[in-house]
Every structure is written in C-alpha cells, then in structure tokens.
Amino acid sequence: MKKNILVTGGAGYIGSHTLVELYNSGYKPIVVDNLSNSSLNNIKGAEQITKSKIDFYKLDCTDFEQMNKLFEEQKNIDAVIHFAAFKSVEESVIQPDKYFSNNIGSLEILINLMNSHNVNNIIFSSSCTVYGSPEFLPVNELAPFGKAESPYGETKQLCEKLIQKSEINSISLRYFNPVGSHPSSLIGDCSADKPNNLVPIICEVASGKRKSMQIFGNDYNTPDGTCVRDYIHVVDLAKAHVMAVNHILNNTKIKTAYNLGVGKGLSVLEVIDSFQKVNNLKISHALGPRRAGDVEKIYSDNTKINIELGWFPVMSFESALETAWNWEKLKNL
Ligand code: NAD
Ligand code: WQD
C-alpha cells in the first residue's frame, strides 16, 4: 500500500515540484492549499507530469475545523510536509501580524491535529534565513540562529523551535536560494504580482515586463562586491524532501535539521552573467544602493544531509536558469 503524505502548500512553487517526486517514488501525496499564492494549474501540471490524479483540498491550514475534518477523512496519514506559509520578506516587514498568524498559526494547528490523530512525522520548510549573518562560512547546522532580519525570518525560527518542543518526529529543511523549474515547464512559481527574488526579476527583465533591474550594492566584502548566495535547483530540493520522508518513516525519534544548498556561493553579477550566457539574452541592469536587511554572503555546508540522507545536488545551475526562463515564457502565454 502506498504511504500517504499530507502536503500543505502543495500547489506552490516548491510544493508542486515535491508532489511529482513523491509520486515518482511511490508515495501518495494529499494536498492542502488555499491558493493564496499559487494556482490550481500547478496541481494540474503535476497531474499531467505524473499521469495521475492528485487528491486536492482547497483549505486554509489556519482553519481548525476544516483541517480536523480532513484528518478525520484521511485516516492514514503517514507524514506531513508543511510548505504552507507566506514568504515575502518585504511584505513581512510591512504586515508582520499577517506573517505571524499564518506561518505560526498554521503550524500550531497542524501540530495539535497531528497529536490528536496520531500522525507522528513532519518535514518542515525552513530557510537559511534562520542563521542571519553567520560567523563562519560555509555555514553548518551547528551555527546558532542569528538575529532575524525580518518578521518572515523570525517566523521560521519560531516554527523550528515549536517543532523542536513538540513530541513529533521532525526534520527541518533549511533551504538556501531555490531557483529553476521542472523541465516540462508545467509547474513553477505562480507567486502573485511582484517578485522579490533575483532570478524571477531577471526573468521579468528578459521578458520585457521590466525595462531594467538594479543590483543591490556592489561595495560588499565579496570578490566582485555584490552579495553571494547558494542557488539550488528546485528539482534537487524537491528530491531531498522524498529522502527526508524515507528517513523519517524508517527511523524513530528523529529531531533534526538539514541545510539544503549546493554548497557554492555565487554573486549577483555571476548570476546575471550566467543567465545571459545560458539563454543568449541581454539583461539590462544598473548598480543601485544596498537593500536593507541583505546578508553579505551565505552558502551552505551540506555535509550533514550528504552523509545522513545520501542527498547530493545533481542539477546544474545552468539548467536552473534555462528552466526558469522557459517557465517565465510559458507563464505569460
Ligand atoms: P509558495 O508561496 O509558492 O508556496 C506556499 C504555498 O502555501 C502556496 O501555494 C500558498 O497558496 C499556500 N499557503 C499559504 N498559506 C496557506 C494557508 N494558511 N493554508 C493553505 N495554504 C497556504 O512558496 P514556496 O517558494 O513554494 O515556499 C514553500 C515553503 O518554503 C514556504 O514555507 C517558504 O517560506 C519556504 N521557503 C521558500 C524559499 C524560497 O525562496 N522560495 C526559501 C526558503 C524557504
Ligand atoms: C538574492 C541576491 C539581493 C533582487 C530571500 C529570503 C530568504 C529565502 C530566499 C525564503 C541578494 C540581490 C535581488 C534584485 C538584486 N526565502 N538582488 N537585485 O535575499 O538571498 O533570500 O529569498 O525563505 O529567506 O531572504 O534572495 O533572491 O531576494 O536575493 O541585486 O532585484 O540578489 O540583494 O543579494 P535572498 P533574493
């Protein structure tokens, strides 16, 4: 019998890619999403890729009654992957309460329901933002939580602590910078209106939606002066969730966290340059001031997940940039 995995936020960017990998690995994903930052097209896309029907519940994870009904209906949930959250750093500064109530509220309800329905395993979507500006690079999981640069970052720290305190087996996956799309271009990032992240912004310049973009600061202590990040292909990221599910289902008393990055830092200028080369396009850009709250450089030590789960990134950065651009073109058709 297939194991049932409840995937909250499964219609979103990372969630939809994970549905495909779960299905391909023999799991049965059950999706809960309120579509506040995504589209049903991602579920349809995942169904097309896997040639299967995916159970989908349009529900808000902060609605206790409805979520309780779902747990009653789906009696045999083996594990939960909790993606559902708001993710805009910028918006979280303007509307912190919205972030605290959704990101923390949804997790509190989930833990409560998991306890009462005897569901013992959770994989949580965390972020490298929990480290703030780490003292040592590459950063490993022993580094302490740093000063949260935004209310969004604070919600991820608080959620990890909540999970840590619970009785449930848990794996927090600390994503670095996810980029790219599934090669089919049938699923991707459907985030509303205005992207804040670098690669989606580059794609908007490429498509003509924006005339130009700014590089936020070139006076950092990095080789070319621009900030350094660890960009990870979303398909590699999705596969790590399957390995985390395998691990948590085959072991008892798991309470851990893993970095999910490639382990290599790239500067903003290197990303723009690679995008131009890979897609044979010119990206109009100008130097601008630093963006408030930006960390100068961060990239992962991914040794722990290599050793304990056998996960290694295999997708190239070039393919991430190519598929990101393919998704942007198709999204706008
Ligand atoms: P996303 O916005 O594409 O996906 C999140 C999904 O959750 C969306 O489909 C949204 O509709 C849904 N959702 C939000 N609140 C909900 C609620 N109360 N009830 C039901 N559904 C709800 O974002 P993503 O990029 O796929 O991110 C997934 C997770 O990974 C989030 O927790 C995010 O904070 C975390 N994360 C993302 C990144 C990144 O750069 N994309 C980096 C680190 C961590
Ligand atoms: C990358 C680099 C910018 C746009 C955020 C969250 C983090 C995680 C991933 C969720 C930075 C520079 C960007 C532009 C630029 N999300 N940039 N011009 O800030 O590393 O991380 O998303 O958990 O928590 O903080 O990602 O893609 O926004 O920026 O120069 O128009 O690109 O300054 O150095 P970031 P990003």
Side-chain angles (χ1 to χ4, degrees), residues 87 89 126-129 150 152-153 156 175-178 196-201 210 213-217 220 226-229 231 268 272 291 294-296 298:
K87 66 165 175 177
V89 171
S126 189
S127 166
C128 65
T129 194
S150 67
Y152 167 77
K156 290 294 170 193
Y175 315 152
F176 282 66
N177 290 55
N196 297 308
N197 294 120
L198 179 61
V199 173
I201 287 173
R210 289 174 192 244
M213 61 172 290
Q214 282 197 341
I215 291 169
F216 298 142
Y220 287 99
T226 66
C227 291
V228 166
R229 296 288 183 275
Y231 296 90
V268 177
I272 296 175
R291 181 173 70 177
D294 262 342
V295 168
E296 180 169 88
I298 184 163

Side-chain angles (χ1 to χ4, degrees), residues 7-279:
V7 184
T8 76
Y13 172 45
I14 304 167
S16 57
H17 286 81
T18 302
L19 297 182
V20 171
E21 300 305 328
L22 282 170
Y23 185 85
N24 287 344
S25 303
Y27 289 107
K28 180 177 175 238
I30 300 156
V31 180
V32 179
D33 201 301
N34 62 4
L35 303 181
S36 57
N37 196 39
S38 54
S39 155
L40 204 51
N41 288 340
N42 266 350
I43 301 293
K44 291 182 188 149
E47 289 183 332
Q48 249 181 288
I49 297 167
T50 58
K51 299 186 180 52
S52 70
K53 181 91 191 78
I54 290 173
D55 281 8
F56 174 70
Y57 291 78
K58 185 172 183 294
L59 285 187
D60 194 308
C61 296
T62 61
D63 184 333
F64 182 87
E65 299 304 325
Q66 294 296 320
M67 286 296 287
N68 190 34
K69 259 197 210 159
L70 163 69
F71 272 81
E72 276 168 3
E73 203 176 304
Q74 294 285 346
K75 289 202 170 44
N76 297 310
I77 297 171
D78 294 286
V80 176
I81 307 182
H82 185 44
F83 291 107
F86 293 144
K87 66 165 175 177
S88 163
V89 171
E90 197 180 19
E91 188 184 54
S92 79
V93 175
I94 302 161
Q95 294 175 268
D97 291 349
K98 178 176 168 180
Y99 277 69
F100 289 117
S101 63
N102 194 43
N103 295 7
I104 296 167
S106 59
L107 179 65
E108 280 173 338
I109 286 179
L110 209 49
I111 291 176
N112 188 332
L113 289 171
M114 287 176 74
N115 282 329
S116 54
H117 292 270
N118 210 15
V119 178
N120 293 317
N121 305 301
I122 189 166
I123 312 293
F124 174 66
S125 287
S126 189
S127 166
C128 65
T129 194
V130 297
Y131 296 119
S133 285
E135 205 176 327
F136 301 105
L137 287 174
V139 62
N140 69 26
E141 294 83 352
L142 297 173
F145 283 2
K147 177 182 166 289
E149 301 290 352
S150 67
Y152 167 77
E154 209 179 328
T155 68
K156 290 294 170 193
Q157 294 180 337
L158 291 168
C159 284
E160 277 208 32
K161 286 179 188 162
L162 259 178
I163 288 178
Q164 190 65 32
K165 267 202 307 198
S166 77
E167 297 291 314
I168 298 167
N169 296 320
S170 70
I171 298 180
S172 290
L173 296 176
R174 297 174 181 162
Y175 315 152
F176 282 66
N177 290 55
V179 282
S181 263
H182 191 268
S184 65
S185 296
L186 289 168
I187 50 177
D189 192 347
C190 304
S191 298
D193 327 324
K194 234 177 61 169
N196 297 308
N197 294 120
L198 179 61
V199 173
I201 287 173
I202 294 175
C203 287
E204 287 202 350
V205 179
S207 73
K209 216 185 242 177
R210 289 174 192 244
K211 281 210 165 64
S212 178
M213 61 172 290
Q214 282 197 341
I215 291 169
F216 298 142
N218 71 338
D219 56 353
Y220 287 99
N221 181 25
T222 60
D224 64 22
T226 66
C227 291
V228 166
R229 296 288 183 275
D230 182 341
Y231 296 90
I232 170 168
H233 198 301
V234 69
V235 171
D236 275 335
L237 190 66
K239 287 186 170 152
H241 289 76
V242 176
M243 295 175 123
V245 169
N246 293 341
H247 189 67
I248 210 165
L249 292 182
N250 289 316
N251 290 281
T252 45
K253 299 213 184 309
I254 300 270
K255 274 233 177 279
T256 195
Y258 294 110
N259 283 344
L260 259 180
V262 170
K264 185 175 173 217
L266 291 174
S267 75
V268 177
L269 280 171
E270 284 174 319
V271 175
I272 296 175
D273 192 44
S274 296
F275 187 94
Q276 296 187 132
K277 286 194 182 119
V278 167
N279 294 309

